Amino acid sequence: MKRQGIAEALRDAITEEMARDTRVFCIGEDIGVPGGWGGAFTVTLGLAEKFPGRIIDTPIAELGFTGIAVGAAMMGLRPIADVQYGDFLFLASDQLINNAAKLRYMSGGAIKVPMVMRAPVGATGRGSQHAQSMERYFTGVPGLKVVAVSTAFDAKGMLKAAVRDDNPVMIFEHKLLYGSKGARAEPGAVDATSEIPDEDYVVPLDRAAVRREGRHVTILGWLLMAHFARQAAEILAQEGIEAEVIDVRSLSPIDYETIGASLRKTGRVVIVEEGPKTGGVSAEIAAGIMENCADALMAPVVRVASADVPVPFTPVLENAYRPDVPRIVEAARQLVQH
Amino acid sequence: MNPTSTPSTPAVSVLTGDRSFLLRLYEQLVLIREFEERVKFLFLEGTMPGTIHQCQGQEATAVGVCAALRADDYITSTFRGHGHALAKGLGVQEMLDELFGAVTGCCKGKGGSMHMGNMDKGMVPGIAIVGGGIPLAAGMALAFKMQRRPQVVACFFGDGAVAEGAFHEGVNMAAIWNLPVVFVCENNLYGASTRIDKVMKNPRVSDRAASYGFRGETVDGNDVLAVLGAARRAAAECREGQGPVLLELLTYRRTGHSRRDACHYQAKDEREAWFARDPIERYAAQLLTRSDVTLADLAAVKARVIQEIDAGVERAKRAPQPTVAELTTDVLA
């Protein structure tokens, strides 16, 4: 057992998978430069020395290197690609959506694309173009699996599961959760460290995780919002409201079994999402709840999400943009009184 | 842009080359032409679903390049891929079945005309987003290089793809990593209906290779032996770790961009000039300079091809359609 943050846990996951399977390699920008950062958030730091020729630095060409990852995966390798900021996925989208996600279907099942695409997301003082919550753009793409990791334990286990999966898997990571120490630490970082077992393990890519049990209201969130939901639950507990907190974690597919079981207990749900409310993953989850477990609801579904605006820069507006603990507490409090 | 003025050194002489090999090339050219003509008929007749993008007039690019490849080499293709598929060894039957949406098609009816392919025969389903196959091919070549497999990828695309960012990004990475890709630009002068002189300041596509630091070559794409020779040189360089290579094959599309396009944007004198350089007629004339090839031999090839297509169409029309249960299969592995 050792205590690790998400960046270290991801690094160990990559190291172990590359040692286990010679088909695994990393491709991205600034990931293996001697004297460099090991990617934008230090995840691949030191790996180029350990695995010569398998940490591939690319030009600044997200569309190109994503297509290269797809092609290499088709030919039997298992690439782990990453973009420095999730926002850059728009550049890579043609290869992800038109090729990676569809080649299996188009070929009548002949092709496998076992690739991983990692992407940091979240509003962190960088203005509008290094801040978006990108997961919403990929959850509705058949042929892709989409997960979001909020703890170091999950980061390691889900990355390992993704590398071993025969499908394209997108892993969203939050910039405020990588770790609060080190050269690339972010102001406002939240503790997402975990006790990491010494032995090999994977975390399934299709299961939500109950982070806190409760009987009055269910709060659903992922990434930073899973942490804020837990903090909100602590405050609610002081008022006698027992909130069940679920880290949705698997965004495509969504685990309605775990969510439904919770709703049958609480009858009430708040879905918290960083990102504009319109067209968000929370909208899909709300619809899915209606289709899967509407009978359990004793009150309408409530969403706490960002305003329908680009992510602003100035801290006062950014804080207003991002759902925070008081807003989650207030939403849950009102819902319980409903 | 006169293709007859471009350098081309046939690696295979029509006079001294192996007769059966040369006739096989002829058969492939005729097969593609007759296949496309039949598909056009079936489509206009209304018996074939979907849309079609055809390659009549461009047969020599597909045949010449694929003849330079080994069975375990791969090609990537485009929405205009019927010729590439036939040249890479896909069967008439699996292709016709696919076009009729049958479950016995090469992609189980899930690909169709624009996504024709068969991985067992070394052809990735056609990538119908312009330029989308270029980074993909570079990635396949990266896998070959990393795994030290002696394979190459021939990546077909049109002149229109050269304007895409995907071309720049994919070609650049293939260059900096010396990847075994033969980039094959079939320059037929038109991206859909737009002539290249409206969208390229420098219309010589092969010039672009030098700016990325590798070799480019413009070849008469309507001369199958010239294409074959250039493709053999390019594939050999790639196999020796000296890739990539950009081949610009000058050719001409005799039919519309897609269904029901009457090509009114192609000038009459331009069409006539290119029709006079038809790749099949030219190659037939070359073959007939041999003492052991007769008009009757060539007629027999065509008759055999037509017979195969006739039989294939009859079977394809009766081929089983997928059950609706197939809708949700093959999404995830």
Side-chain angles (χ1 to χ4, degrees):
Chain A
M1 274 309 218
K2 54 182 177 288
R3 188 121 203 123
Q4 284 189 322
I6 285 184
E8 297 166 284
L10 289 169
R11 192 182 307 133
D12 278 4
I14 294 170
T15 305
E16 290 169 24
E17 290 304 293
M18 288 183 72
R20 184 186 61 79
D21 185 344
T22 57
R23 298 171 302 173
V24 181
F25 72 100
C26 293
I27 184 165
E29 295 157 357
D30 302 299
I31 63 173
V33 178
W37 324 312
F41 295 96
T42 73
V43 170
T44 53
L45 194 62
L47 297 188
E49 292 77 30
K50 273 190 194 135
F51 301 104
R54 291 168 65 196
I55 303 291
I56 297 179
D57 278 312
T58 72
I60 302 171
E62 290 82 6
L63 172 65
F65 77 68
T66 303
I68 283 176
V70 179
M74 276 171 49
M75 291 293 102
L77 297 184
R78 304 185 88 85
I80 304 172
D82 77 274
V83 288
Q84 300 201 332
Y85 292 86
D87 310 70
F88 308 165
L89 287 173
F90 288 123
L91 293 160
S93 293
D94 175 55
Q95 290 294 333
L96 287 167
I97 297 174
N98 282 318
N99 285 351
K102 294 179 180 40
L103 274 163
R104 181 165 185 81
Y105 198 77
M106 278 158 55
S107 67
I111 291 175
K112 284 193 288 200
V113 185
M115 69 175 281
V116 178
M117 173 60 87
R118 299 179 34 242
V121 296
T124 52
R126 291 171 166 91
S128 293
Q129 296 176 339
H130 289 59
Q132 293 163 91
S133 295
M134 297 294 294
E135 57 273 25
R136 63 181 53 215
Y137 301 110
F138 298 94
T139 49
V141 179
L144 296 180
K145 294 185 177 183
V146 180
V147 299
V149 294
S150 70
T151 70
F153 183 90
D154 282 2
K156 184 171 186 183
M158 291 184 116
L159 178 54
K160 286 189 160 215
V163 168
R164 299 174 195 185
D165 198 282
D166 279 339
N167 297 288
V169 180
M170 301 195 63
I171 301 185
F172 290 96
E173 302 155 8
H174 199 288
K175 296 190 281 285
L176 294 182
L177 299 179
Y178 281 119
S180 55
K181 288 181 293 205
R184 306 286 292 174
E186 297 284 313
V190 170
D191 180 9
T193 57
S194 308
E195 292 298 323
I196 305 292
D198 295 327
E199 60 273 13
D200 184 51
Y201 71 95
V202 293
V203 173
L205 300 174
D206 58 356
R207 305 299 293 176
V210 178
R211 299 299 189 197
R212 184 188 200 283
E213 295 199 3
R215 56 201 165 91
H216 296 130
V217 59
T218 301
I219 306 177
L220 305 178
W222 57 96
L223 294 171
L224 184 64
M225 296 302 114
H227 290 267
F228 284 6
R230 285 175 85 168
Q231 293 172 26
E234 298 299 325
I235 293 169
L236 290 163
Q238 291 165 18
E239 302 173 13
I241 299 171
E242 292 298 333
E244 178 140 305
V245 176
I246 295 179
D247 182 348
V248 180
R249 183 164 84 167
S250 165
L251 302 181
S252 183
I254 291 165
D255 175 11
Y256 288 110
E257 196 181 316
T258 298
I259 292 170
S262 178
L263 290 196
R264 274 184 274 284
K265 198 161 58 165
T266 64
R268 293 176 167 82
V269 62
V270 178
I271 313 171
V272 191
E273 175 170 22
E274 178 176 345
K277 182 178 269 187
T278 302
V281 182
S282 57
E284 178 62 32
I285 296 173
I289 286 171
M290 295 308 293
E291 288 168 342
N292 287 280
C293 40
D295 55 316
L297 288 178
M298 294 189 289
V301 174
V302 169
R303 288 198 284 159
V304 178
S306 299
D308 288 331
V309 298
V311 181
F313 161 67
T314 189
V316 66
L317 295 182
E318 190 187 79
N319 289 334
Y321 170 88
R322 189 196 299 106
D324 56 14
V325 175
R327 285 162 64 192
I328 300 168
V329 169
E330 183 55 27
R333 197 184 279 142
Q334 287 194 12
L335 183 56
V336 170
Q337 287 161 5
H338 185 90
Chain B
M1 293 306 295
N2 181 354
T4 56
S5 69
T6 57
S8 57
T9 318
V12 180
S13 159
V14 76
L15 288 175
T16 59
D18 175 69
R19 179 179 181 274
S20 66
F21 173 75
L22 293 170
L23 281 176
R24 202 155 62 237
L25 295 181
Y26 182 74
E27 179 164 344
Q28 287 191 316
L29 293 170
V30 173
L31 174 64
I32 295 171
R33 175 70 56 88
E34 295 302 322
F35 183 92
E36 291 290 62
E37 290 296 323
R38 185 66 58 88
V39 165
K40 186 173 191 171
F41 175 82
L42 291 165
F43 182 78
L44 293 175
E45 182 190 61
T47 48
M48 185 174 276
T51 188
I52 45 171
H53 300 77
Q54 302 202 287
C55 69
Q56 290 97 320
Q58 304 184 181
E59 295 88 350
T61 59
V63 172
V65 169
C66 291
L69 301 177
R70 299 177 185 168
D72 64 346
D73 290 333
Y74 280 86
I75 63 170
T76 64
S77 178
T78 68
F79 49 83
R80 198 181 309 288
H82 299 177
H84 306 146
L86 288 165
K88 192 65 176 74
L90 271 74
V92 166
Q93 194 64 57
E94 62 179 320
M95 290 176 62
L96 285 169
D97 286 4
E98 185 66 27
L99 289 168
F100 276 100
V103 72
T104 46
C106 53
C107 300
K108 292 163 62 176
K110 289 177 172 171
S113 172
M114 288 202 273
H115 306 308
M116 202 65 80
N118 182 335
M119 293 299 277
D120 291 336
K121 307 234 168 100
M123 182 180 182
V124 178
I127 302 298
I129 306 295
V130 173
I134 296 173
L136 199 70
M140 296 166 71
L142 177 66
F144 298 156
K145 183 175 179 179
M146 289 180 79
Q147 298 189 313
R148 296 185 175 80
R149 290 154 63 177
Q151 287 156 280
V152 306
V153 189
C155 171
F156 286 97
F157 52 91
D159 45 277
V162 175
E164 291 278 6
F167 171 85
H168 168 67
E169 296 188 22
V171 161
N172 184 48
M173 275 181 270
I176 59 178
W177 299 327
N178 293 111
L179 298 181
V181 193
V182 183
F183 293 110
V184 182
C185 178
E186 296 173 300
N187 182 352
N188 66 14
L189 307 182
Y190 291 88
S193 65
T194 300
R195 203 172 191 285
I196 60 165
D197 45 14
K198 287 178 75 175
V199 294
M200 288 185 197
K201 190 79 169 176
N202 173 3
R204 183 47 55 94
V205 171
S206 62
D207 282 358
R208 285 151 178 78
S211 64
Y212 297 99
F214 66 96
R215 189 174 76 78
E217 180 179 352
T218 299
V219 181
D220 179 352
N222 280 13
D223 178 343
V224 69
L225 295 183
V227 174
L228 172 64
R232 278 186 173 169
R233 285 192 298 278
E237 286 171 34
C238 285
R239 256 184 259 281
E240 288 159 14
Q242 292 161 15
V245 176
L246 172 60
L247 297 183
E248 176 188 22
L249 309 181
L250 299 178
T251 186
Y252 201 73
R253 165 164 56 73
R254 297 168 68 113
T255 59
H257 164 69
S258 62
R259 59 181 186 170
R260 301 191 183 94
D261 169 13
C263 297
H264 292 315
Y265 46 84
Q266 291 179 338
K268 187 165 176 287
D269 56 344
E270 180 185 272
R271 283 179 68 84
E272 284 170 358
W274 279 95
F275 275 53
R277 292 197 285 267
D278 181 76
I280 299 177
E281 288 171 19
R282 281 172 69 192
Y283 186 51
Q286 283 180 285
L287 285 173
L288 289 170
T289 61
R290 289 177 65 114
S291 57
D292 58 356
V293 177
T294 66
L295 271 173
D297 292 332
L298 302 187
V301 166
K302 184 168 177 177
R304 195 161 64 237
V305 161
I306 289 174
Q307 193 178 24
E308 183 183 3
I309 294 170
D310 284 344
V313 169
E314 285 316 304
R315 279 196 293 271
K317 283 179 170 172
R318 298 191 308 269
Q321 294 289 306
T323 64
V324 176
E326 280 284 332
L327 176 68
T328 52
T329 61
D330 303 322
V331 179
L332 292 170

